[in-house]
Amino acid sequence: MTHLLDERAANRADLVKRLFAVAISIGVGSTMVGANWIQEARPPNLAEFEQIAIVLIALYATVLSWDGYLSSISKKPLINRWRFAIDVALVFTYMLLLVASENTAFSLPTFSVIFLLYFCWAVLSVIDFSSAYATPHAHNSGL
């Protein structure tokens, strides 16, 4: 049974890894293809610079998330289906953030959803791997 759980966790992790690459490709690619300043071969205006900044921040957050995700699942495999579902939701939320970067009012609420999903994921991680979060009791130093 443990072997099946390990295999399922590895398959889930593999899928999410691939989804991150797809989300970045689709998000950045569709944004760049749809950018007026690229289609018109001109420098971006102020509003377009704002969109570029949002794309770069979203891309930075996505890549850092991917890095943190890989580190985390190496220690805490995806045995919980809810953590896996949150991972998939996070990847698509990142893709949405990248694709919808033209609508600047959309960015902050999307980041809020991302951080809420991270919170839920962390709670589930603590429940599933409570021993990994346990700290030894501090010794009384007599102070």
Side-chain angles (χ1 to χ4, degrees):
M1 185 68 160
T2 302
H3 174 69
L4 291 176
L5 286 176
D6 290 343
E7 186 176 339
R8 179 179 287 169
N11 289 339
R12 288 174 174 173
D14 186 54
L15 174 64
V16 175
K17 288 176 197 175
R18 293 170 193 264
L19 285 176
F20 264 112
V22 170
I24 290 171
S25 300
I26 290 174
V28 174
S30 67
T31 300
M32 299 308 281
V33 167
N36 290 334
W37 63 276
I38 290 178
Q39 292 175 0
E40 297 168 7
R42 61 171 173 75
N45 62 33
L46 189 57
E48 291 163 336
F49 269 119
E50 188 175 3
Q51 180 187 11
I52 293 167
I54 290 169
V55 168
L56 290 176
I57 291 167
L59 183 59
Y60 183 70
T62 305
V63 170
L64 287 181
S65 174
W66 195 354
D67 185 52
Y69 169 79
L70 293 174
S71 174
S72 181
I73 63 167
S74 69
K75 299 170 196 135
K76 300 178 236 58
L78 286 175
I79 56 174
N80 182 312
R81 76 179 73 171
W82 294 110
R83 280 179 56 225
F84 173 63
I86 290 171
D87 285 340
V88 172
L90 274 166
V91 172
F92 283 106
T93 306
Y94 276 118
M95 185 171 61
L96 183 65
L97 180 65
L98 288 162
V99 169
S101 61
E102 190 172 353
N103 184 352
T104 56
F106 193 69
S107 300
L108 188 57
T110 305
F111 272 117
S112 298
V113 168
I114 288 169
F115 289 119
L116 176 65
L117 288 170
Y118 277 130
F119 175 77
C120 295
W121 196 91
V123 168
L124 291 172
S125 291
V126 170
I127 291 168
D128 288 344
F129 299 96
S130 57
S131 62
Y133 293 95
T135 58
H137 295 287
H139 295 289
N140 188 352
S141 62
L143 295 177

